[in-house]
Amino acid sequence: MAEIQLRSLAHSYSKEPKGREDYAIRRMNHIWEQGGAYALLGPSGCGKSTLLNIISGLLSPSEGEVLFDGVKVNDIDTRDRNIAQVFQFPVVYDSMSVFDNLAFPLRNQNVSEIKVRKKVNEVAEILELEDLLKRKARNLTADEKQKVSMGRGLVRDDVSAILFDEPLTVIDPHLKWKLRRKLKQIHEQFNITMVYVTHDQLEASTFADKIAVMYEGQVVQFGTPRELFEKPAHTFVGYFIGSPGMNLIDVQRSERGVCFDGFELPLNEDLAKQLSSLESDNIKVGIRPEFICMQEQPVEGALPCDINHIEDLGTHKVLTLQLGNQVLKAIVGEDYEPDGLPLYACFPEQWLKLYVDEYLVEVQGSEQ
């Protein structure tokens, strides 16, 4: 197990990068603590796999350092970093049995056959592979092969960390939940540092204690699933996390706070003061669909709106609202039935977030 630290790390595939657009990984500092279960979440092309390959040693960073337990490993070969990496597509030896596939890393280290058998049987039990140990790997299904691939990383006692690069892509959807649960169980049992790369927020949330959200080569927020949902630190996090994602509205400064399309949204005194100290005019407010309150009578702070569409998802409904020139989403209970028009939307102060240059504006000591 190891603490993994990235110090002033950056990477470009260009020999002579001229600007930020030439960097797959923009300069970052980040720490994954020893024994943690982490997810690296983001869309395709944001730099997730590049970062994972730098940690494992398959790729050398253009700039900065990778440290394991405080020791720089930039110049240490991949095989000497004691990292197990599970790739998107299973890597198994088809001509070998499942037992020999699992035993391969241990035999490479000249581990005694008694210990090999003990460790292989232990991991096979955890991954429910006991009945397949004698079968040739070529005869396995895709999910069985992926479990064998995972198992090869788990048999070693000296593993510093296990890195998973989109490991469930080839797995049938109805089996994914089972393997995610199994990975969580393995982490709790062995307390190994695990970093799980995915573009799927459900996979990230069900596996990880903390999630690093990547966007355009940077980690824009690192936090628990709840923190990412309730308090997105960047507009991309608000948009990417949640289904539907956060409503984001371009606004301008006003006397009492901010405004858009003739509507004014008051800000509390501390937040308004913080906004006045910032020069940028790239200002947005954000609120999640779950936190918009629908009213059928006008109340203080409520904004009149129309419903363009209602999507019934069984457990809840998603309303598409027309508010001025803005199209917003609101989530309501399954029994919600609008009683005529007009309707009114309320944005509770607790859940209305303010962003300048795409980053959350916070007041020290405030719940905003």
Side-chain angles (χ1 to χ4, degrees):
M1 297 172 291
E3 175 192 87
I4 301 172
Q5 181 177 0
L6 311 177
R7 183 183 292 170
S8 299
L9 190 79
H11 184 73
S12 174
Y13 290 101
S14 171
K15 291 184 179 179
E16 297 181 2
K18 294 182 173 56
R20 55 188 290 177
E21 67 278 358
D22 293 328
Y23 281 87
I25 302 293
R26 286 153 54 191
R27 187 178 299 274
M28 68 166 68
N29 294 285
H30 192 70
I31 294 177
W32 283 292
E33 296 177 357
Q34 178 177 307
Y38 302 106
L40 193 55
L41 174 67
S44 298
C46 72
K48 305 186 300 296
S49 294
T50 296
L51 186 57
L52 210 67
N53 290 335
I54 287 173
I55 294 170
S56 68
L58 294 175
L59 190 64
S60 297
S62 304
E63 305 169 22
E65 299 175 334
V66 180
L67 299 96
F68 289 179
D69 290 333
V71 178
K72 181 180 175 181
V73 297
N74 289 48
D75 300 322
I76 296 178
D77 192 79
T78 299
R79 64 183 177 183
D80 296 322
R81 295 191 187 190
N82 295 328
I83 289 288
Q85 189 161 358
V86 179
F87 295 94
Q88 179 174 350
F89 299 100
V91 179
V92 298
Y93 300 105
D94 281 344
S95 61
M96 289 185 181
S97 68
V98 171
F99 184 97
D100 289 336
N101 265 279
L102 294 174
F104 187 80
L106 299 176
R107 288 172 174 163
N108 269 355
Q109 296 178 315
N110 297 316
V111 173
S112 70
E113 280 300 311
I114 293 176
K115 186 172 182 181
V116 167
R117 187 165 296 277
K118 179 183 177 182
K119 287 296 296 182
V120 168
N121 286 331
E122 179 184 358
V123 169
E125 181 180 358
I126 292 169
L127 291 173
E128 299 178 0
L129 292 170
E130 305 105 306
D131 296 337
L132 303 176
L133 287 175
K134 295 181 180 179
R135 186 180 298 182
K136 294 291 187 183
R138 70 167 65 93
N139 298 321
L140 301 178
T141 63
D143 60 291
E144 289 169 342
K145 286 184 178 182
Q146 192 63 295
K147 287 200 286 186
V148 173
S149 190
M150 292 176 185
R152 285 220 306 270
L154 294 170
V155 294
R156 294 168 49 191
D157 291 328
D158 65 336
V159 170
S160 298
I162 301 181
L163 312 179
F164 299 94
D165 192 357
E166 304 264 12
L168 302 184
T169 299
V170 299
I171 307 302
D172 288 340
H174 70 282
L175 293 174
K176 286 187 177 184
W177 70 270
K178 190 174 183 180
L179 279 181
R180 284 199 302 266
R181 182 179 174 188
K182 187 63 65 177
L183 285 175
K184 192 71 173 175
Q185 175 189 337
I186 289 167
H187 175 260
E188 292 170 354
Q189 182 169 343
F190 291 95
N191 197 33
I192 301 171
T193 305
M194 291 184 173
V195 181
Y196 186 108
V197 165
T198 181
H199 64 276
D200 187 321
Q201 60 177 290
L202 179 61
E203 285 188 15
S205 298
T206 53
F207 169 78
D209 300 321
K210 281 194 171 183
I211 300 171
V213 181
M214 284 196 73
Y215 176 62
E216 294 185 343
Q218 285 189 318
V219 174
V220 291
Q221 187 169 2
F222 183 52
T224 65
R226 181 173 180 175
E227 288 167 345
L228 300 182
F229 184 81
E230 294 188 354
K231 201 174 184 180
H234 189 279
T235 54
F236 175 77
V237 180
Y239 160 79
F240 195 69
I241 301 293
S243 181
M246 174 178 267
N247 297 296
L248 294 164
I249 306 172
D250 289 301
V251 296
Q252 297 82 43
R253 290 178 172 84
S254 69
E255 184 176 343
R256 298 174 57 200
V258 294
C259 63
F260 68 96
D261 298 345
F263 298 114
E264 187 168 45
L265 295 174
L267 300 176
N268 68 56
E269 183 177 345
D270 291 332
L271 194 57
K273 184 177 180 180
Q274 184 77 7
L275 177 61
S276 67
S277 69
L278 303 172
E279 295 183 0
S280 176
D281 289 325
N282 178 9
I283 308 170
K284 294 180 175 70
V285 292
I287 187 167
R288 291 211 174 272
E290 291 83 352
F291 300 145
I292 292 179
C293 297
M294 300 303 299
Q295 302 286 339
E296 295 186 354
Q297 299 296 328
V299 296
E300 184 178 357
L303 306 179
C305 62
D306 295 324
I307 295 180
N308 291 344
H309 180 68
I310 299 177
E311 186 177 5
D312 191 341
L313 299 181
T315 56
H316 61 275
K317 294 177 180 177
V318 179
L319 310 183
T320 300
L321 306 178
Q322 188 72 44
L323 182 61
N325 294 321
Q326 309 296 322
V327 176
L328 309 179
K329 300 289 186 179
I331 292 179
V332 294
E334 59 181 315
D335 297 327
Y336 179 82
E337 293 290 345
D339 184 18
L341 294 173
L343 293 173
Y344 300 86
C346 292
F347 299 170
E349 181 180 305
Q350 177 188 1
W351 302 117
L352 185 67
K353 304 302 177 184
L354 178 68
Y355 297 90
V356 173
D357 290 334
E358 312 307 326
Y359 281 92
L360 180 67
V361 177
E362 293 188 272
V363 176
Q364 194 68 30
S366 169
E367 294 298 320
Q368 178 70 22

